[in-house]
């Protein structure tokens, strides 16, 4: 389990990048790290990987301060993709495998498995610079996975990928998580985070403003009743709690709290009820609310 406690980071000229970031990712969990541009995601990941030092706070691995040797067992996909452009795909993956201390035989086996799994078989002898952005990203992922990492930390791994590549990457990350590895990734694609992650952390201006499972975040946001009435009598919703908006010849009433039965009676008397039900907020809505 990775635990991050109260990270604070101040850059030159007093720029507070992190102001108390805490979260935990147990074995086998997929954690989505989300936040606006400049919120502090990359800085947090760099601190976990030892690229930057925190001014305050701790990074714990299985309950103890994380060591350099343990970091070497992690897989990292940095924001600034670090591939050698002139090197061929296969050589590149081998090279990083050897850097992680794998012997020639185990590197070869792991490389072949990853190349097949990530759909790079046709490109194994091409130089990285000749690949499309999406294929370079697949190579970057292979490099992060070559040593069978004990934790995966990926900075926007899905950005720029086509839907098929997104599915391949998502499946590979799920496989690793199912194998007991904590997986942390940042993304601005909130529908994807909602679909893939067991838990989510929302960071805003260097502070964690919400964290937990998507279900927990939804529960915290409260339930919301949505009513759609076609050709309603004017003024039917007067005095009811909630917000009324118009969509063509339909009235849409959104109610937080209040008495469902009373709202239903009024809606039925008002016109043709096309929809009446409780809707749960999406992660996009939770995010907007949390960073507002
Ligand atoms: P994005 O979604 O745009 O990648 P992020 O959440 O990853 O953003 P960070 O890159 O962690 O955000 O940046 C957090 C804040 O720290 C920003 O205000 C950024 O300008 C600042 N920052 C990051 N690195 C440095 C640095 N080396 N020197 C000064 N300020 C920095």
């Amino acid at each position: 389990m990775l635990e991050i406690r109260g990270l604070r980071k101040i850059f030159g000229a007093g720029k507070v990048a992190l102001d108390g970031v805490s979260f935990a990712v147990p074995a086998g969990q997929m954690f989505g790290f989300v936040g606006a541009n400049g919120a502090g995601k990359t800085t947090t990941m760099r601190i976990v990987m030892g690229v930057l030092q925190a001014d305050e706070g701790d990074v714990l691995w299985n309950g103890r301060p994380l060591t350099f040797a343990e970091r070497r067992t992690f897989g990292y996909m940095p924001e600034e993709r670090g591939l050698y452009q002139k090197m061929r795909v296969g050589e590149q993956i081998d090279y990083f495998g050897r850097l992680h201390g794998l012997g020639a035989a185990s590197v070869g086996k792991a490389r072949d498995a990853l190349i097949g799994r990530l759909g790079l078989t046709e490109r194994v002898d091409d130089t990285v610079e000749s690949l499309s952005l999406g294929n370079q990203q697949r190579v970057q992922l292979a490099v992060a996975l070559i040593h069978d990492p004990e934790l995966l930390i990926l900075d926007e791994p899905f950005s720029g990928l086509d839907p098929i590549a997104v599915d391949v990457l998502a499946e590979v990350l799920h496989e690793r998580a199912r194998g007991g590895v904590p997986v942390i990734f940042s993304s601005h694609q909130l529908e994807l985070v909602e679909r893939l992650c067991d838990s989510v952390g929302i960071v805003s201006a260097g502070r964690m403003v919400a964290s937990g499972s998507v279900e927990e975040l939804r529960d915290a946001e409260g339930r919301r009743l949505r009513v759609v009435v076609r050709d309603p009598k004017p003024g039917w919703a007067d005095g009811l709690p909630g917000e009324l908006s118009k969509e063509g010849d339909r009235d849409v009433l959104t109610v937080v709290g209040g008495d469902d039965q009373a709202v239903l009676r009024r809606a039925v008397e008002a016109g043709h009820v096309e929809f009446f039900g409780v809707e749960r907020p999406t992660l996009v809505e939770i995010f907007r609310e949390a960073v507002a």
Side-chain angles (χ1 to χ4, degrees), residues 4 20-26 29-36 39-42 44-45 183-190 193-194 196-217 283 286-288 290-291:
I4 286 169
V21 168
S22 304
F23 60 85
V25 189
Q29 270 217 358
M30 193 111 111
F31 179 85
F33 199 21
V34 304
K41 304 176 294 294
T42 296
T44 304
M45 292 184 174
V183 177
I184 299 156
F185 72 88
S186 62
S187 180
H188 293 293
Q189 292 154 267
L190 299 186
V193 172
E194 186 166 4
L196 298 183
C197 292
D198 304 295
S199 59
V200 175
I202 303 176
V203 63
S204 177
R207 291 176 191 212
M208 287 302 279
V209 288
S211 67
S213 69
V214 175
E215 284 309 302
E216 284 165 353
L217 296 180
L283 185 57
I286 293 167
F287 177 82
R288 289 215 176 96
V291 304

Side-chain angles (χ1 to χ4, degrees), residues 11 15 17 36-43 79 156 188:
F11 288 110
K15 165 78 209 166
N37 292 131
K41 304 176 294 294
T42 296
T43 304
E79 187 179 49
E156 297 192 28
H188 293 293

